Amino acid sequence: MTLTKVVGAFCGALLIFLLGGWAAELIYHTGGGHGDDHQQAYVIETGNDEGGAEEDTGPSFEELFVAADAGKGERIFNKCKACHQLEEGANGTGPYLYGVVGRDVGSAEGFGYSGSLSAVADVWTPQNLSAFLENPAGYAPGTTMGFAGVKDMEDRANLIAFLDQTDGDTYEVEVPAAAEEEAPAEEPAEETTDAEASEAPANDGAAAEDAASDEAASQEPASDEAAAEEAATEEAAADDSAGGFADVVAAADPADGEKVWRQCRACHKLEDGANGVGPHMAGIVGREIGSVEGFRYSNALQELDGTWTADELNAWLEDPKAYAPGNKMSFRGLRKEEDRAALIAYMQSAAE
Ligand code: HEC
Ligand code: HEC
């Protein structure tokens, strides 16, 4: 009996199914069959198309990174502070992040990693960091970093730019041609002021020699001041043999300096009045130390009097911490004299 019921139920169901199908056929074909039976009547929007289009037209991560604002990134870093410190060796809940951009994954000494990160990446390039920080658990399943992620790409670019300058060694990313637009615009300015650029360091050269011979110093008030400075900061002078550095600046190619400038532009602008994380750099060579209106200097810098001569800049840029202990420019310094010279030549040529 049970079997019959089951078979009966099955047949009934089949019948209803077939009838339903037949009825449906009838309804769909009332418009007249022109052989397109298998075409879908409705295309359902999944939203995939739109998503794809957005990715195509929006700026790439690289473009955002090159134009990133480290100042804004510093604010986003507040989200990380509960677990991460920037100081080298200072591990907390998370590893210290000093110099993390370009660092090997999982390499902070003394930190006990989960192993999930090194399983998916070797080096923290800006791109890898961006992918990780967008969705940590998605990027590195099993990671012990309990953080939801920074969803906005521009926020990540700013944040990574901020992290990048902690060690004074910025990471170069390959940039699509469109993002380099600004470069040609700056070049004409360089050319027109080339003559002046080489004149100014010549003065400093004279000034440096003045330290040795008095007569030259009395010729020009400008060199007087520089000469006095020279005597005041022994270490700066000791760095270079008299006159040596100014000559290097005079001989340097501002175009090389423009590349070095990339390490500064996250915090400094060349345009007069355009203060960022640091004060603007318009006319920096020959400008009084700590003199930009509207910029809040640290006491360390404000208390220094004197002028940013090529030699002073040289000493400052080599090691900002040693030059003015307690200052708030978080930049490790430029080790190579040729980089400092080219950079100063560049800032000088861009100033006018
Ligand atoms: C709740 C604590 C916490 C927060 C908040 C947090 N992290 Fe982490 N982070 C960790 C831990 C823990 C690890 C180690 C993960 C592992 O080993 O899987 C880590 C690892 C990392 C690493 C890998 C470092 C290395 O040496 O390989 C980077 C980079 C990083 N975090 C950046 C950030 C940034 C940037 C933020 C803020 C946007 C942030 N984290 C927020 C806890 C945190
Ligand atoms: C992380 C941000 C940051 C980076 C990168 C940076 N600076 Fe600075 N810079 C500052 C801040 C902040 C100050 C102000 C320091 C203070 O008041 O103690 C400053 C001050 C200066 C001053 C003194 C200006 C004045 O008006 O007296 C000079 C010169 C300077 N920076 C040049 C440079 C150059 C050149 C580079 C690149 C090689 C560079 N900085 C990189 C943040 C930065």
Side-chain angles (χ1 to χ4, degrees):
M1 271 319 271
T2 328
L3 185 71
T4 323
K5 272 187 194 163
V6 169
V7 171
F10 179 75
C11 287
L14 193 65
L15 186 67
I16 289 165
F17 178 77
L18 287 173
L19 273 173
W22 170 74
E25 286 268 292
L26 255 188
I27 293 163
Y28 277 120
H29 284 256
T30 40
H34 17 12
D36 55 351
D37 300 15
H38 298 289
Q39 246 173 31
Q40 248 181 303
Y42 299 103
V43 177
I44 294 163
E45 293 283 341
T46 58
N48 274 348
D49 290 351
E50 279 172 53
E54 222 168 23
E55 266 169 65
D56 286 345
T57 53
S60 67
F61 172 76
E62 286 78 7
E63 285 172 284
L64 289 172
F65 182 68
V66 163
D69 182 337
K72 287 186 184 150
E74 186 169 11
R75 265 172 265 147
I76 297 164
F77 185 68
N78 287 335
K79 297 184 178 177
C80 325
K81 276 183 177 165
C83 303
H84 291 284
Q85 283 178 274
L86 286 172
E87 285 81 354
E88 195 162 7
N91 293 323
T93 306
Y96 71 84
L97 293 184
Y98 176 86
V100 71
V101 184
R103 198 168 87 181
D104 282 351
V105 171
S107 65
E109 250 173 72
F111 185 80
Y113 290 93
S114 66
S116 307
L117 304 176
S118 46
V120 293
D122 298 324
V123 175
W124 287 124
T125 61
Q127 290 89 341
N128 283 345
L129 278 170
S130 176
F132 172 52
L133 293 174
E134 182 178 10
N135 180 2
Y139 179 84
T143 178
T144 46
M145 172 154 135
F147 180 71
V150 178
K151 297 301 170 209
D152 185 272
M153 187 158 48
E154 194 174 349
D155 283 352
R156 294 197 303 276
N158 291 338
L159 171 63
I160 295 163
F162 168 72
L163 292 173
D164 191 21
Q165 41 76 22
T166 55
D167 61 352
D169 175 21
T170 45
Y171 198 97
E172 297 272 331
V173 294
E174 287 281 320
V175 193
E180 288 274 81
E181 281 166 352
E182 3 162 357
E186 279 169 22
E187 261 160 50
E190 264 167 40
E191 260 153 32
T192 54
T193 56
D194 253 10
E196 283 177 279
S198 46
E199 254 169 50
N203 273 346
D204 288 335
E209 273 154 38
D210 289 348
S213 67
D214 275 346
E215 3 155 50
S218 55
Q219 279 172 4
E220 254 178 84
S223 5
D224 251 332
E225 213 179 281
E229 284 256 343
E230 204 68 38
T233 40
E234 290 262 351
E235 346 152 33
D239 256 13
D240 344 280
S241 48
F245 183 69
D247 290 345
V248 181
V249 174
D253 183 354
D256 292 339
E258 188 175 359
K259 284 181 210 125
V260 183
W261 170 250
R262 289 183 193 161
Q263 301 188 32
C264 324
R265 67 182 186 189
C267 301
H268 293 287
K269 301 271 175 297
L270 284 166
E271 295 81 49
D272 199 347
N275 296 328
V277 177
H280 75 78
M281 287 289 117
I284 186 63
V285 184
R287 197 168 88 186
E288 246 178 73
I289 296 177
S291 65
V292 169
E293 259 180 61
F295 184 79
R296 293 183 57 201
Y297 291 94
S298 64
N299 288 337
L301 215 61
Q302 209 155 29
E303 277 163 12
L304 291 175
D305 19 54
T307 307
W308 287 121
T309 61
D311 281 309
E312 295 307 320
L313 283 168
N314 185 30
W316 162 250
L317 294 175
E318 183 177 9
D319 191 347
K321 277 209 181 82
Y323 183 94
N327 83 79
K328 60 175 186 177
M329 170 155 130
S330 35
F331 181 72
R332 185 201 246 168
L334 297 167
R335 302 264 163 75
K336 289 195 211 146
E337 184 182 74
E338 56 183 283
D339 283 352
R340 299 193 300 272
L343 173 64
I344 293 166
Y346 170 69
M347 291 195 294
Q348 203 160 33
S349 73
E352 284 134 69

